Amino acid sequence: MHCPEPLFVARTASTNSFLDELCNRQPLPELTCVYTAFQSDGRGQRGNSWESEDGKNLLFSFVVFPTFLEVRRQFRLSQVTALALQETLSDYAEGIRIKWPNDIYWHDRKLCGTLIENDWTGSRVSRSISGTGVNLNQERFVSDAPNPVSLYQITGQTYDPADVLRAVMERICQYYRLLQAGDEETIARRYEERLYRREGWHPYRDEEGTFLARFVDVDPTGRLLLMDSQQRVRAYYFKEVTFIHPQP
């Protein structure tokens, strides 16, 4: 599968919104990608905004039309993006992991976040737009986000966003081909191998309070399975459990 050359726009409210509007105006090939130097209304998960200094970071979205994929398995799309990001960023620094469901962490600090917006027709996913912000060259963060980090802060080097994007999109193409071919097992296995907090006991919080647990699995629907100290397996969809991070 050939990846179209990414489209650059100098400024936009949000690359997800830009690509959504573009899709609504004209037919686009799969894996059409747009990136920008600045978003005035960048969106993160849980309705948060995404802090990014103008021209410093990689802000991009891409679209696929995975009509072969059942809605109940849409989490595979999240895994595709997360794996491509983790592998690419691991070329520049050690200690890069996927924090369930699709953040990218360097040790206990957030390097990159992704927002995926899916549409479906019947039981199939008709369109998926995945938008990601990668902290590349930002030297300091001023928002109240608890644990951001940039690749520059990790390595002391600066990076060309276009070069990093091409490497990410090449891997996204590869993993999307695997998904199209039905090889969900490889995607799921690699995703699990690269998870943050895959080993050991760690603190979490849910509606019942704070608890210690260890990782068990992520099921095909995207639920995180944890085993607590009473040997009880707890299952969570996104937003139902919070990772408690060490204080910096």
Side-chain angles (χ1 to χ4, degrees):
M1 178 184 294
H2 173 69
C3 276
E5 185 68 16
L7 171 66
F8 176 74
V9 292
R11 296 173 66 92
T12 186
S14 144
T15 55
N16 266 29
S17 298
F18 183 94
L19 196 50
D20 173 59
E21 293 169 7
L22 197 60
C23 286
N24 292 336
R25 290 201 305 266
Q26 64 191 73
L28 296 177
E30 279 201 303
L31 296 159
T32 293
C33 175
V34 60
Y35 70 110
T36 189
F38 181 75
Q39 292 185 136
S40 59
D41 189 27
R43 291 174 289 150
Q45 298 283 13
R46 303 177 187 267
N48 295 331
S49 62
W50 181 263
E51 178 190 356
S52 181
E53 188 178 345
D54 194 352
K56 291 290 188 178
N57 300 314
L58 173 57
L59 310 167
F60 74 98
S61 297
F62 71 91
V63 64
V64 291
F65 306 97
T67 53
F68 60 90
L69 189 66
E70 294 177 309
V71 171
R72 64 188 178 89
R73 307 185 84 80
Q74 62 186 305
F75 185 68
R76 296 302 187 207
L77 296 166
S78 184
Q79 291 176 312
V80 163
T81 301
L83 280 167
L85 288 163
Q86 188 273 335
E87 288 184 6
T88 301
L89 295 171
S90 291
D91 289 341
Y92 306 110
E94 296 182 353
I96 308 290
R97 296 289 181 265
I98 300 167
K99 176 178 172 277
W100 175 88
N102 56 22
D103 285 341
I104 303 299
Y105 265 49
W106 176 73
H107 299 291
D108 293 310
R109 301 178 69 184
K110 186 173 180 177
L111 182 59
C112 141
T114 295
L115 174 66
I116 298 180
E117 299 176 304
N118 294 331
D119 297 326
W120 53 86
T121 302
S123 63
R124 304 281 174 166
V125 181
S126 55
R127 189 184 78 178
S128 177
I129 293 179
S130 178
T132 296
V134 184
N135 296 328
L136 278 190
N137 300 316
Q138 192 149 334
E139 296 181 23
R140 66 186 187 95
F141 295 88
V142 297
S143 77
D144 58 0
N147 58 345
V149 69
S150 70
L151 207 53
Y152 171 83
Q153 290 175 325
I154 297 168
T155 68
Q157 301 180 43
T158 57
Y159 301 88
D160 184 337
D163 290 344
V164 177
L165 176 58
R166 289 186 182 94
V168 170
M169 288 306 301
E170 182 178 333
R171 285 184 164 101
I172 284 173
C173 287
Q174 293 169 358
Y175 277 112
Y176 189 64
R177 277 197 294 267
L178 281 182
L179 188 61
Q180 286 179 310
D183 190 0
E184 296 186 25
E185 182 179 342
T186 295
I187 293 170
R189 185 186 72 252
R190 292 183 184 176
Y191 175 88
E192 181 179 321
E193 288 171 352
R194 295 157 196 194
L195 277 175
Y196 170 73
R197 292 191 176 179
R198 185 172 180 266
E199 306 290 342
W201 294 83
H202 301 279
Y204 300 87
R205 183 185 301 111
D206 64 10
E207 61 181 8
E208 298 178 10
T210 301
F211 63 98
L212 281 176
R214 63 176 179 84
F215 172 79
V216 175
D217 197 7
V218 175
D219 74 16
T221 69
R223 288 193 310 170
L224 176 66
L225 307 182
L226 300 172
M227 180 176 287
D228 65 22
S229 54
Q230 283 74 49
Q231 303 300 301
R232 176 166 65 110
V233 175
R234 305 185 182 204
Y236 299 99
Y237 287 109
F238 180 53
K239 299 185 182 181
E240 293 180 346
V241 66
T242 300
F243 289 59
I244 299 176
H245 299 296
Q247 293 299 314

